[in-house]
Amino acid sequence: MRLIIMGPPGAGKGTQAKFVADHFKIPAISTGDIFRANVTQGTELGVKAKQYMDGGDYVPDEVTNLMVRDRIDQPDAESGFLLDGYPRTLAQVEELDGMISFTGHKLDAVLVLTVDQDEIVQRLLQRAELEGRADDTEDVIRKRQELYVEQTEPLIEVYRERGILIELDGMGEVDEVTQRIFDALDVWPQS
């Protein structure tokens, strides 16, 4: 399966991505995790990405596209993958289309988790406290929410028009959301 999981920052994409990826035995590819790993390792990409991340901005498409292309070309992603945090812009949708069609495949589904905005802010503030994440201040969280609405929400309509969008309620306990995802994918047409 080739899947994307979308939703605003704090919707639970990373948590759900792990469960879905394990279930389908495909890698969960998180751009955020890759960026943070590069920041921790002090790589050139990490230094560049940190400047954007600390301000709550998206890392530029050209950096992100190269990173994702490299990752989905790895052997463990040959039979499928779940992307978390990519694509975030219409330009990235086009880039991803090219990457996937080059391999002779197509996206199977795009999962969108919908959650209440105030709930998201509380989740992210709690996560910041628990994990000591400096990039999760309330101002940065609010800026990310604005960026999501402005740049990423239009992608939902693109995937809806393609007939591959699955919208799911992301509120509730983690296992309840996971079950909603599995129930939806169990009846979803697969290529």
Side-chain angles (χ1 to χ4, degrees), residues 96-110:
L96 179 61
D97 287 347
M99 290 180 211
I100 294 174
S101 67
F102 180 78
T103 66
H105 297 101
K106 64 183 182 80
L107 278 175
D108 292 295
V110 177

Side-chain angles (χ1 to χ4, degrees), residues 111-115 166-171 177 180-182 184:
L111 308 168
V112 177
L113 299 178
T114 59
V115 294
I166 302 174
E167 291 185 273
L168 300 149
D169 180 2
M171 300 293 287
V177 177
R180 283 182 210 130
I181 292 170
F182 290 158

Side-chain angles (χ1 to χ4, degrees), residues 30-86:
S30 162
T31 52
D33 288 349
I34 296 169
F35 288 143
R36 281 187 285 278
N38 277 275
V39 168
T40 301
Q41 296 164 11
T43 66
E44 186 178 332
L45 171 65
V47 170
K48 193 177 218 180
K50 186 176 185 336
Q51 296 169 347
Y52 295 98
M53 291 166 59
D54 284 351
D57 294 315
Y58 287 164
V59 176
D61 285 355
E62 59 273 10
V63 175
T64 307
N65 291 340
L66 288 171
M67 182 190 61
V68 170
R69 180 181 299 276
D70 178 64
R71 181 60 186 91
I72 67 173
D73 282 345
Q74 294 179 17
D76 68 331
E78 195 172 299
S79 64
F81 51 79
L82 184 145
L83 291 173
D84 167 13
Y86 185 91

Side-chain angles (χ1 to χ4, degrees), residues 80-149:
F81 51 79
L82 184 145
L83 291 173
D84 167 13
Y86 185 91
R88 285 189 171 166
T89 65
L90 292 170
Q92 288 179 357
V93 168
E94 291 175 19
E95 187 71 22
L96 179 61
D97 287 347
M99 290 180 211
I100 294 174
S101 67
F102 180 78
T103 66
H105 297 101
K106 64 183 182 80
L107 278 175
D108 292 295
V110 177
L111 308 168
V112 177
L113 299 178
T114 59
V115 294
D116 177 75
Q117 176 108 10
D118 291 334
E119 173 75 17
I120 288 174
V121 171
Q122 291 311 306
R123 283 183 187 182
L124 290 178
L125 289 173
Q126 185 176 30
R127 180 177 78 180
E129 191 176 312
L130 289 172
E131 298 178 11
R133 287 174 60 162
D135 62 331
D136 278 347
T137 65
E138 186 160 353
D139 287 344
V140 169
I141 291 167
R142 299 246 179 237
K143 184 170 183 180
R144 284 193 195 128
Q145 301 300 330
E146 291 168 15
L147 274 174
Y148 176 80
V149 169

